[in-house]
Amino acid sequence: MSCEDEAEKQATEIHQVIVVMVPFPAQGHLNQLLHLSRLISSYNVPVHYVSTAIHSRQAKLRLQGWNPLSSPNMMMIKFHEFPVPAFPSPPPKPQTAVEFPSHLLPSFYSVLHLRQPVAKLLSVLSLTTKRLVIIYDAVPSIIQDAVTIPNGEAYSFQPLSAFRISSYVWETMGRPRGIDDQIAKQVPSRASTLTPQVMEFIKTQEEHNKYSSGALFNTCRAIEAPFLDVIAKVNSKQWAIGPFNPMEVCKNSRHKCLEWLDKQVPNSVIYVSFGSTTTLSDEQIESLAVGLENSGQKFLWVLRDADRADIFVGDGRARKLPKDYEERIQLNGQGIIVRDWAPQLEILAHASTGGFMSHCGWNSCLESITMGVPLATWPMHSDQPHNALLVTVVLKVGVVVRDWMHRDDLVESSAIENAVKKLMTSGEGEEVRTRMLELCKAVKISVAEGGDSRRDIDDFIAHIRR
């Protein structure tokens, strides 16, 4: 039975509103829209999560912070897994300069073939609801047929920071108040953070954004009020309803690294991870290994290749470390190396974790903020340089490991050692930690009853139920 037939069969009543989620096929996007699905379903709104079988399986496998089996609203989320043409999944290349992982591009183009099955699903669902709401992320061409549905309307989901997005429009608007001139001078151009191939893909989608009736942001005013205000000048309908990730982390089956963290003292461990789209060169790995060891600080390092387009095909290559390195740091109790997928939310929520050396993907930034863990920033590509600037210069809740101006340079072990010491043991690091804890508290107030983020999600739900 096809997914649209199943949807028709299961429809036993006319819903006031149904939401269809169409995520972009990359980990950070799949993750955010699954968290958003949970948030919306908590209002007793049925949610249909649409993707390929590979990416749907990936999203569910890597789900963190809540248990879908015990969630009372999980029954409100239905997954639709549509076939698309096979796409190659070559191994990623080491990051030697700014280069968005080009090996993922075939999967981006392949999911554009979801347009036809999504159109059929929307047509069926539209018969079972007073209003059909489509939330799309970076691939609006897939949902362009929504304009033919009388009771359908689409909303764009913005998976990036408001700081990054506001930088696009700030210059064209004559530099309105809200972005400090000194900060603006440091903002990198979009062209410097993306390859021409990725820019070309983005351009194929931009014309389809005209279908949007408003925008949703995974952020809140406690974090990005000035930049949301700038965007509001060109986008009057917007809702800042984040962060989406759970504030209180549900502990499922425990990863072995958490048992190691249990043995450490509070705020003593720096967590090191560069996300799902970065592969470091062997030379950079060696430098990082030496820097971490020489810092004398406890560390938990996730050392793995970037995701393939299909994470279920092939194995990541074994990453070379200095001779006897792993045995030595484990023997003296200084650190642990994790070579598989790590439960980042649980790691950041652990009392022993006192710092996070990160690529500054927006998911990672938000998770670090909501858990009150200060950052050591090392941006690699895309929105990450903007997020790193937001963290270190605007919010002042992190320290710099590598700035964007030196993105082509090897980060020496001495620079890594100094950054770790600054964050974890210096007076400056303590000030950064204090500010992060204050920001964490403000964010938790924002998402709690009566907070601005909670008011925005209440307002959005009221808007689509109007």
Side-chain angles (χ1 to χ4, degrees), residues 34-162:
L34 192 49
H35 282 317
L36 178 56
S37 297
R38 170 180 176 264
L39 178 60
I40 290 177
S41 71
S42 71
Y43 287 79
N44 291 317
V45 174
V47 177
H48 294 255
Y49 188 96
V50 178
S51 191
T52 70
I54 289 170
H55 295 110
S56 180
R57 181 183 171 198
Q58 177 178 334
K60 289 183 279 189
L61 176 68
R62 292 177 170 180
L63 179 64
Q64 294 185 64
W66 53 288
N67 187 345
L69 297 178
S70 63
S71 174
N73 297 102
M74 192 60 185
M75 295 300 294
M76 302 290 288
I77 304 175
K78 293 183 175 63
F79 292 87
H80 299 269
E81 302 172 354
F82 293 116
V84 295
F87 48 83
S89 188
K93 295 179 181 179
Q95 185 110 1
T96 54
V98 54
E99 181 183 354
F100 185 92
S102 57
H103 68 287
L104 295 179
L105 276 171
S107 68
F108 299 167
Y109 280 101
S110 183
V111 298
L112 299 184
H113 291 273
L114 287 174
R115 177 185 173 182
Q116 185 175 9
V118 166
K120 290 181 179 179
L121 176 64
L122 297 180
S123 179
V124 170
L125 290 175
S126 69
L127 303 175
T128 68
T129 183
K130 293 179 181 178
R131 178 169 288 110
L132 183 63
V133 171
I134 302 98
I135 299 176
Y136 68 88
D137 166 18
V139 280
S141 67
I142 293 175
I143 59 91
Q144 60 185 285
D145 297 291
V147 297
T148 66
I149 298 175
N151 61 339
E153 54 191 37
Y155 295 85
S156 64
F157 169 67
Q158 302 297 333
L160 311 177
S161 65

Side-chain angles (χ1 to χ4, degrees), residues 81-337:
E81 302 172 354
F82 293 116
V84 295
F87 48 83
S89 188
K93 295 179 181 179
Q95 185 110 1
T96 54
V98 54
E99 181 183 354
F100 185 92
S102 57
H103 68 287
L104 295 179
L105 276 171
S107 68
F108 299 167
Y109 280 101
S110 183
V111 298
L112 299 184
H113 291 273
L114 287 174
R115 177 185 173 182
Q116 185 175 9
V118 166
K120 290 181 179 179
L121 176 64
L122 297 180
S123 179
V124 170
L125 290 175
S126 69
L127 303 175
T128 68
T129 183
K130 293 179 181 178
R131 178 169 288 110
L132 183 63
V133 171
I134 302 98
I135 299 176
Y136 68 88
D137 166 18
V139 280
S141 67
I142 293 175
I143 59 91
Q144 60 185 285
D145 297 291
V147 297
T148 66
I149 298 175
N151 61 339
E153 54 191 37
Y155 295 85
S156 64
F157 169 67
Q158 302 297 333
L160 311 177
S161 65
F163 180 62
R164 164 84 170 193
I165 297 169
S166 67
S167 70
Y168 299 162
V169 300
W170 187 74
E171 288 286 352
T172 60
M173 293 171 56
R175 300 189 175 191
R177 284 187 171 182
I179 297 183
D180 182 270
D181 283 347
Q182 292 303 313
I183 295 171
K185 290 176 182 177
Q186 301 178 60
V187 174
S189 67
R190 183 161 66 159
S192 75
T193 64
L194 296 169
T195 65
Q197 293 84 358
V198 173
M199 290 291 288
E200 181 181 351
F201 178 84
I202 291 172
K203 287 179 180 178
T204 67
Q205 298 299 304
E206 284 180 342
E207 66 172 297
H208 300 291
N209 280 317
K210 61 189 177 186
Y211 307 122
S212 174
S213 298
L216 300 171
F217 292 82
N218 188 7
T219 190
C220 63
R221 297 191 64 80
I223 302 173
E224 299 193 278
F227 314 113
L228 288 165
D229 289 343
V230 169
I231 299 170
K233 296 179 186 296
V234 295
N235 188 359
S236 58
K237 281 190 178 179
Q238 66 179 43
W239 296 268
I241 58 177
F244 302 155
N245 60 271
M247 302 292 139
E248 301 294 331
V249 178
C250 170
K251 296 177 175 60
N252 301 321
S253 56
R254 298 193 89 215
H255 192 279
K256 61 182 180 181
C257 70
L258 298 171
E259 297 176 4
W260 182 83
L261 282 174
D262 290 341
K263 302 172 184 176
Q264 314 309 317
V265 300
N267 293 324
S268 64
V269 177
I270 184 164
Y271 168 54
V272 182
S273 178
F274 300 108
S276 60
T277 60
T278 296
T279 297
L280 298 178
S281 67
D282 288 339
E283 185 180 16
Q284 187 62 81
I285 288 173
E286 181 172 0
S287 179
L288 177 55
V290 172
L292 289 173
E293 185 174 23
N294 288 348
S295 73
Q297 197 67 40
K298 298 288 184 75
F299 63 88
L300 191 166
W301 180 7
V302 179
L303 178 58
R304 56 188 297 274
D305 276 351
D307 284 346
R308 292 174 181 251
D310 180 352
I311 67 167
F312 303 102
V313 173
D315 297 319
R317 63 194 176 100
R319 310 315 308 278
K320 185 180 179 181
L321 286 166
K323 182 177 174 59
D324 299 327
Y325 182 83
E326 194 164 359
E327 294 80 2
R328 186 168 64 251
I329 63 166
Q330 289 185 12
L331 186 63
N332 63 25
Q334 186 182 1
I336 182 173
I337 308 292

Side-chain angles (χ1 to χ4, degrees), residues 24-33 58 137 157 159 276-277 363:
F24 187 68
Q27 177 58 38
H29 301 250
L30 297 167
N31 179 53
Q32 288 191 67
L33 281 192
Q58 177 178 334
D137 166 18
F157 169 67
S276 60
T277 60
N363 270 339

Side-chain angles (χ1 to χ4, degrees), residues 186 379 402-409:
Q186 301 178 60
R402 181 185 69 177
D403 62 41
W404 189 240
M405 289 184 61
H406 299 93
R407 57 189 175 273
D408 295 331
D409 300 341

Side-chain angles (χ1 to χ4, degrees), residues 12-23:
T12 58
E13 60 178 325
I14 298 296
H15 296 282
Q16 187 175 6
V17 62
I18 288 176
V19 171
V20 178
M21 294 282 179
V22 185

